[in-house]
Amino acid sequence: MRSPSHDILFEPVKIGPVQTKNRFYVTPHATGNGHLNPNMAIGFREMKAKGGWGVVSTAITEIGPDCDLGSHPVERLWDEHDLPVHTRQAERIHAHGALAAIELGHAGIRARNFLSGLPVIGPSTWPALRPEMPMHAKAMSLSDIRAFRAEHRRAALLAKRAGYDIVYVYAAHDISIFTNFLSRRTNRRSDEYGGSLENRARLLREVLEETREAVGDRCAVALRFSVHEFVSDFAIRSDGEGRDVVAMLAELPDLWDVNLSGWSYDSSSSRLAEEGFQEPYTAFVKSLTTKPVVGVGRYTGVDRMAALVRKGHLDLIGAARPSIADPFLPQKIEEGRYDDIRECIGCNHCVATESYGVAVRCTQNPTINEEWRRGWHPEEVPPAAKPENILIIGGGVAGLECALTAARAGHRVAVAEAREELGGRAANEARLAGLSAWRRLVDYRLGQLRQMANVDLYPASAMTAEDAVGFGADRIVLATGSLWRRDGLGSSHAVPIAGLTSGMPVFTPDDVFTVDAFPHSVLIYDDDHDYLGSVLAEELARKGKHVTLMTPLAEFSSWTAQKLERDRIVARLLELGVELLPLARLDAIEAGGVRFRAGLARTEQTRGCDAVILVMARQTDGNLKSEILARGFAAERLHVIGDAEAPGTLAAAVFSGHALAETLARGTALSDFKRDRAVVEG
Ligand code: ADP
Ligand code: SF4
């Protein structure tokens, strides 16, 4: 049953001419589909509307060809040709009682315009905000400014025609032309659009007024604004110009959507920031406006959400990642099913996929972006035509997700896990520095499985082929995971690193959970390039060890850059005194230290240490599979999933476990899915 203290979350909120059904608000965020996969994007958002969110927003929506974001697929509303997609999107969101919001956006000097070939525009001639691209923005003339205002107005009118209820003016993060004008870093003008804050805010004020005049009779006008920036020069701060902007424009929008800039701070991973870390910066906003305020904070704690409303900090609980991890979060809270909530773990795998320019994937929710093309649902699986007895060997996240999905489809499921503890590497890694929220991956699945009468969990049950076949299951699933290689092979090492038997203690990440104490000076060689090398460095440095982190690449933990983490991770390691050695290829391990080559240099260098941890490639063990087959078990009834099939991310392991059970229930192959062709369906 729902606690009465949470009733406040189900009150309607009036936003200008429209009203929400509750306080759950999906703030604008990308799906990775943009204009390229419109049906997938619509399916993604419709599922959230079904799950009970009161407002569902689009991603940043380009308002014209002068702000194309190129390989970063976001939505488009350039002209009337884009209307069918948006009309259908608004209609599918409305079908479930939610309001539809559109975030009109112009990326200003962050635009790419490679597709359109138009110049990138901004307040001044200034380097485009992409340091990797040597281009500058063209300073907008007064007629360019007038043209931009007309473009924004036209897009707002189109948004209204499409049926949206809330039309955004986007002045947040560092991806907005309004931010470029507001900031003294990028606005170097001396006319009425530059200089004083009033002048720098002029364009924003004009566009807010014009949007209101154009669509305000039926649509609410929302302003998304970053009240605090984390940059070194001329930062807009919540105790400075950020506050002044809110005071100046207080009653102009119908809704304030407030957050932090840049996006890498606003979307901090759980490794770098706690739930609700934005609160100290955004708390002041409601004291300056009578209009409703929405804000984000990776909120999954229901008491905290209710308290935020009660104490007058927010009127609406904004969410991007928590709504990806659990599209049904509001419905579960409404029904008091708190234990069923699939809480976001803050790993930023979703951000990584989106940054990579592909459809968003989620570690917690393997069904995200599969709603339309594969017909998957985050809470439901079609009943299996013929329920079977399924034995799953391995209780990591692949095994647990497979078990949960198969059990929901009506099968009788047994999970046998060698260790006392279920959860595999996710359970282990959640013990490391900064990763405790990852434990939610295991807790959610175990919590569900333990309530199901058709599931048996067998911890401390290492299975041999004989045990497996003797179990008498109709189907066997191997979810036995992978192990880190000890032989010094990895993506940069096609031949083993020399000297593994030199007497130097050499470990892999698998040992970290069993070794009682490491010697004082530890060298970590990271040829994996995701989080683990730097997490181990942090973990050991916090325990007082002298740590050297060496990698053959030019940058550390390079994949974490996709998750908006890398720069702050490197800063943290430096603060902890970790010695960083980039572009260093480990040649040999010997008693007392290692030999390595810096970059392409021919000469070798040495570094002393007492132990080495190799974070290189992983390997699978195919023996169990071949031994089971050798006992006559039918190959078509034996499956390998997760890291045991191909070592990868936790998200891939969860997806693999889900995909097997889902496709078995549907009688389909994983390759059977509808292809999105950038045309609206039906
Ligand atoms: P994944 O990410 O694919 O779920 P993990 O490595 O996290 O992989 O989990 C695999 C799990 O399988 C580990 O907990 C491991 O102890 C377990 N396991 C491996 N071999 C066996 C076996 N023969 N019998 C039972 N459990 C096993
Ligand atoms: Fe949350 Fe990770 Fe899923 Fe993103 S991928 S929504 S951060 S659990």
Side-chain angles (χ1 to χ4, degrees):
M1 242 206 22
R2 180 169 93 219
S3 158
S5 66
H6 301 153
D7 290 353
I8 197 168
L9 296 170
F10 295 91
E11 292 170 352
V13 178
K14 195 159 167 10
I15 309 176
V18 299
Q19 180 163 298
T20 68
K21 65 175 177 181
N22 59 32
R23 296 183 187 269
F24 293 94
Y25 193 116
V26 177
T27 46
H29 68 273
T31 66
N33 296 301
H35 55 94
L36 299 177
N37 300 322
N39 293 296
M40 285 172 71
I42 293 169
F44 176 107
R45 298 203 170 95
E46 178 173 8
M47 192 62 81
K48 297 186 189 198
K50 264 189 202 166
W53 297 86
V55 180
V56 177
S57 307
T58 68
I60 184 172
T61 304
E62 295 170 0
I63 59 171
D66 61 346
C67 57
D68 102 59
L69 282 165
S71 60
H72 208 70
V74 296
E75 255 112 317
R76 280 194 174 151
L77 191 48
W78 287 10
D79 55 39
E80 296 204 347
H81 296 292
D82 297 313
L83 268 180
V85 176
H86 288 280
T87 306
R88 186 166 180 90
Q89 180 149 271
E91 181 234 306
R92 293 323 306 155
I93 293 170
H94 288 155
H96 308 281
L99 297 179
I102 181 166
E103 183 181 66
L104 301 180
H106 190 298
I109 69 175
R110 273 286 289 270
R112 294 177 177 168
N113 292 1
F114 287 160
L115 176 74
S116 65
L118 294 170
V120 168
I121 54 172
S124 308
T125 303
W126 193 254
L129 274 188
R130 292 202 172 274
E132 71 276 17
M133 287 185 200
M135 53 199 258
H136 284 61
K138 169 197 163 190
M140 290 164 80
S141 65
L142 290 179
S143 73
D144 290 334
I145 289 177
R146 278 194 296 278
F148 162 71
R149 285 163 51 190
E151 181 182 53
H152 203 288
R153 187 173 190 280
R154 192 183 62 229
L157 286 166
L158 286 172
K160 181 180 164 188
R161 264 175 71 191
Y164 288 106
D165 309 284
I166 301 173
V167 176
Y168 265 86
V169 175
Y170 178 55
H173 308 124
D174 45 14
I175 322 172
S176 161
I177 198 163
F178 300 110
T179 317
N180 303 156
F181 271 81
L182 281 169
S183 169
R184 282 190 289 155
R185 265 179 308 138
T186 46
N187 184 343
R188 312 236 152 200
R189 301 175 76 98
S190 52
D191 63 1
E192 66 266 41
Y193 288 96
S196 67
L197 181 62
E198 200 182 335
N199 280 357
R200 284 180 275 128
R202 185 177 308 281
L203 183 63
L204 178 56
R205 179 188 285 280
E206 287 170 344
V207 170
L208 277 169
E209 285 168 353
E210 285 159 2
T211 307
R212 195 148 195 184
E213 177 272 316
V215 303
D217 57 329
R218 195 183 62 67
C219 304
V221 177
L223 172 56
R224 197 174 195 202
F225 177 61
S226 296
V227 295
H228 192 92
E229 273 187 306
F230 293 86
V231 289
S232 47
D233 301 331
F234 296 131
I236 289 185
R237 296 175 52 95
S238 55
D239 56 359
E241 289 194 336
R243 189 184 177 93
D244 297 341
V245 170
V246 178
M248 278 166 63
L249 304 176
E251 300 300 312
L252 204 46
D254 297 310
L255 172 75
W256 280 91
D257 178 342
V258 290
N259 56 26
L260 309 179
S261 185
W263 182 40
S264 60
Y265 281 89
D266 207 27
S267 278
S268 287
S269 67
S270 55
R271 188 174 168 190
L272 296 171
E274 296 289 319
E275 177 173 335
F277 80 99
Q278 292 93 333
E279 288 171 23
Y281 304 98
T282 56
F284 76 89
V285 177
K286 266 193 72 68
S287 69
L288 297 181
T289 177
T290 64
K291 305 292 177 163
V293 177
V294 60
V296 289
R298 223 176 53 241
Y299 293 120
T300 56
V302 189
D303 289 336
R304 186 169 189 154
M305 296 180 202
L308 282 166
V309 177
R310 209 167 282 119
K311 69 186 179 195
H313 186 136
L314 296 176
D315 299 289
L316 295 138
I317 305 299
R321 288 170 292 176
S323 72
I324 296 173
D326 196 341
F328 280 70
L329 186 134
Q331 193 186 94
K332 289 174 183 175
I333 298 172
E334 186 164 27
E335 294 169 0
R337 293 192 292 125
Y338 303 109
D339 293 342
D340 293 342
I341 295 173
R342 200 169 38 236
E343 290 181 276
C344 168
I345 67 167
C347 62
N348 276 7
H349 185 72
C350 51
V351 175
T353 43
E354 197 271 330
S355 305
Y356 219 54
V358 295
V360 159
R361 295 281 176 201
C362 172
T363 309
Q364 268 287 43
N365 177 9
T367 68
I368 203 77
N369 266 322
E370 301 295 351
E371 303 85 353
W372 174 80
R373 67 174 188 175
R374 287 194 166 100
W376 294 0
H377 188 291
E379 305 298 316
E380 296 163 13
V381 195
K386 183 173 166 291
E388 298 178 325
N389 285 319
I390 299 181
L391 170 64
I392 297 174
I393 302 178
V397 288
L400 295 181
E401 175 65 24
C402 187
L404 179 56
T405 312
R408 282 180 175 163
H411 297 291
R412 168 115 229 136
V413 180
V415 180
E417 163 56 48
R419 291 167 48 195
E420 288 282 350
E421 182 190 36
L422 288 142
R425 74 178 170 107
N428 272 343
E429 291 175 9
R431 295 194 179 89
L432 298 174
L435 303 187
S436 60
W438 293 21
R439 176 74 215 172
R440 294 170 176 180
L441 284 175
V442 180
D443 290 344
Y444 164 72
R445 287 170 179 80
L446 282 182
Q448 298 291 302
L449 287 166
R450 286 187 175 130
Q451 294 169 32
M452 300 177 95
N454 53 337
V455 174
D456 293 305
L457 301 174
Y458 299 106
S461 303
M463 300 290 279
T464 62
E466 196 181 343
D467 299 332
V469 175
F471 195 85
D474 300 315
R475 210 173 275 282
I476 299 176
V477 179
L478 300 180
T480 47
S482 63
L483 291 174
W484 291 91
R485 296 189 81 110
R486 297 180 178 279
D487 55 7
L489 286 174
S491 63
S492 307
H493 291 263
V495 293
I497 291 169
L500 287 165
T501 52
S502 62
M504 164 77 74
V506 177
F507 301 99
T508 76
D510 292 318
D511 302 321
V512 170
F513 307 100
T514 50
V515 170
D516 287 337
F518 278 88
H520 178 63
S521 175
V522 182
L523 185 138
I524 300 172
Y525 186 60
D526 184 6
D527 194 19
D528 170 60
H529 313 296
D530 198 359
Y531 57 92
L532 206 49
S534 63
V535 167
L536 292 177
E538 182 177 341
E539 175 82 14
L540 291 174
R542 287 190 188 283
K543 288 183 174 151
K545 306 293 176 196
H546 177 267
V547 183
T548 304
L549 181 59
M550 180 187 282
T551 180
L553 298 191
E555 54 179 355
F556 289 94
S557 303
S558 56
W559 181 246
T560 65
Q562 302 291 336
K563 302 187 235 186
L564 311 175
E565 291 182 304
R566 185 202 51 213
D567 295 354
R568 286 158 74 194
I569 288 173
V570 168
R572 183 181 278 186
L573 293 177
L574 289 170
E575 275 164 24
L576 287 166
V578 174
E579 185 187 1
L580 299 176
L581 281 178
L583 278 173
R585 188 187 145 86
L586 188 59
D587 275 349
I589 298 170
E590 49 199 18
V594 300
R595 280 188 280 124
F596 68 98
R597 238 171 260 265
L600 300 175
R602 285 173 177 275
T603 47
E604 273 193 336
Q605 300 181 43
T606 56
R607 190 57 108 247
C609 61
D610 307 324
V612 173
I613 303 179
L614 296 177
V615 189
M616 299 185 69
R618 288 189 269 163
Q619 61 189 353
T620 58
D621 177 2
N623 286 340
L624 190 54
K625 178 179 176 185
S626 43
E627 286 167 14
I628 291 173
L629 290 174
R631 282 174 162 72
F633 197 85
E636 67 274 14
R637 300 196 149 262
L638 179 63
H639 309 270
V640 185
I641 60 170
D643 291 328
E645 183 186 29
T649 58
L650 286 166
V654 172
F655 182 86
S656 164
H658 186 92
L660 174 66
E662 181 98 39
T663 50
L664 283 177
R666 290 172 182 273
T668 54
L670 193 57
S671 52
D672 297 335
F673 60 84
K674 288 192 279 185
R675 186 175 147 201
D676 216 335
R677 286 191 170 84
V679 287
V680 74
E681 193 194 44

